[in-house]
Amino acid sequence: MTVPILRQLADLHAKTSEWTRAGEVIGVVPTMGALHQGHLSLVEAAKAECDRVIVTIFVNPKQFNNPEDLAKYPRTEADDAVKLEPYGVDAIYVPEPDQIYPAGFATNVSVAGLTDVMEGEFRPGHFDGVATVVAKLFLQTRANRAYFGEKDYQQLMVVRRMARDLDIPTEVIGCPTVREASGLAMSSRNLRLSPEGLEVAAHLNAAMRSVAEALGRGEAFDEVAKHACAGLLEAGFSEVEYLDLRSAASLKPLGRASEPARLFAAALVEGIRLIDNIEVPAA
Ligand code: PAF
């Protein structure tokens, strides 16, 4: 069945008012489109746990620190709608830009602390853009639950904190990263890589897994990380922005996996910035 595409907040509210009145649980999967299996796994999780599911598609200009990245971000709305058809979602909300940022929009949602490092450090303003748009999408959709991929682990933490701090009654649910057979984390940005670039990209997750194994053997993070970064440059990455071991709960940097930890990386290939993170078992 063709899924209704809603572009105006009033049309979305007409639906959600009806669902809320009927006591139905509303789930939302916020996306920027160019849907892949990772997004679809979030839709599946939402379908399993909610009475109604809304997928939002909005390429949010406020979260792009690099204008070229925004201009080149894939936009594939018609394909996205086809991909969603088999899942029986109840609505696709593709807001017109003025439904999110009406003329005179002057409010910024900013989460301190968690956003100082990694993506926050390398993409100034990015998380303000994410927190602002996600706060709006939670309120506009009146969602009881919202589904995010762990691939953007720092984003997941920021969004969870934002909803808690602002008393937005949307439960934030994290779902496991979906990977290609090569280990490469699925991402809409992978669409911009050549076949050679995709081969190089697969080294990122492989290198991270080797670092996690070395940490498990009790090796010191600094040494192992230096070696892994050199290997990534040799494999064809042009730059490794960070390879960090951090507390899974607070994102504070760790020298070894002395508490539940995650390894985080950002690296560039063919001018495309890829990120990934994996769990590191305590040594
Ligand atoms: O992860 C994304 O695709 C975006 O950051 C999100 C959560 C849809 C907000 O624009």
Side-chain angles (χ1 to χ4, degrees):
M1 210 186 68
T2 315
V3 188
I5 297 183
L6 312 174
R7 299 183 193 277
Q8 298 292 320
L9 179 56
D11 295 333
L12 178 69
H13 276 173
K15 294 246 178 233
T16 54
S17 300
E18 209 181 284
W19 299 339
T20 308
R21 253 198 315 273
E24 294 177 321
V25 172
I26 301 173
V28 66
V29 180
T31 82
M32 297 202 299
L35 301 183
H36 50 66
Q37 207 48 48
H39 298 113
L40 298 174
S41 74
L42 303 178
V43 173
E44 271 176 13
K47 278 294 294 180
E49 296 175 359
C50 306
D51 301 310
R52 300 287 180 175
V53 174
I54 304 167
V55 174
T56 70
I57 299 179
F58 181 66
V59 181
N60 173 32
K62 201 170 150 57
Q63 72 185 72
F64 284 82
N65 53 312
N66 174 347
E68 197 191 330
D69 193 24
L70 172 62
K72 290 195 172 156
Y73 201 85
R75 287 160 174 87
T76 58
E77 185 188 309
D79 283 358
D80 292 343
V82 171
K83 284 186 189 156
L84 289 170
E85 260 173 39
Y87 291 85
V89 305
D90 296 276
I92 307 176
Y93 180 48
V94 191
E96 298 290 355
D98 70 348
Q99 302 297 287
I100 300 290
Y101 301 122
F105 186 85
T107 298
N108 186 44
V109 180
S110 189
V111 176
L114 287 175
T115 58
D116 290 345
V117 296
M118 299 193 291
E119 293 306 283
E121 186 181 341
F122 283 90
R123 301 185 67 189
H126 167 67
F127 281 126
D128 283 13
V130 169
T132 304
V133 81
V134 172
K136 291 209 59 151
L137 291 170
F138 283 4
L139 295 167
Q140 291 194 346
T141 59
R142 299 165 166 157
N144 303 95
R145 293 161 172 258
Y147 295 80
F148 291 85
E150 282 183 348
K151 174 183 167 265
D152 296 293
Y153 189 88
Q154 191 178 9
Q155 166 173 281
L156 173 62
M157 293 182 76
V158 168
V159 164
R160 202 171 260 149
R161 179 70 57 87
M162 175 279 292
R164 191 205 68 174
D165 287 358
L166 297 181
D167 301 318
I168 298 179
T170 305
E171 185 187 348
V172 175
I173 294 155
C175 300
T177 302
V178 178
R179 299 182 180 281
E180 305 286 353
S182 67
L184 174 65
M186 289 203 186
S187 162
S188 304
R189 288 193 172 82
N190 296 353
L191 287 176
R192 290 167 55 199
L193 291 171
S194 71
E196 297 74 37
L198 282 169
E199 270 180 40
V200 174
H203 286 266
L204 182 60
N205 183 251
M208 292 172 76
R209 280 185 281 121
S210 312
V211 170
E213 276 165 30
L215 289 168
R217 291 193 298 270
E219 292 180 36
F221 177 64
D222 281 357
E223 274 311 303
V224 184
K226 227 182 279 166
H227 185 72
C229 289
L232 287 170
L233 296 177
E234 208 168 297
F237 278 92
S238 58
E239 189 183 345
V240 179
E241 283 186 351
Y242 59 81
L243 176 62
D244 287 2
L245 180 69
R246 292 182 178 270
S247 155
S250 68
L251 297 186
K252 78 168 190 275
L254 298 174
R256 50 194 298 275
S258 47
E259 58 182 279
R262 291 189 89 89
L263 191 61
F264 296 87
L268 282 110
V269 53
E270 296 182 336
I272 311 298
R273 193 171 174 281
L274 302 178
I275 62 171
D276 198 355
N277 71 91
I278 59 171
E279 194 180 351
V280 181

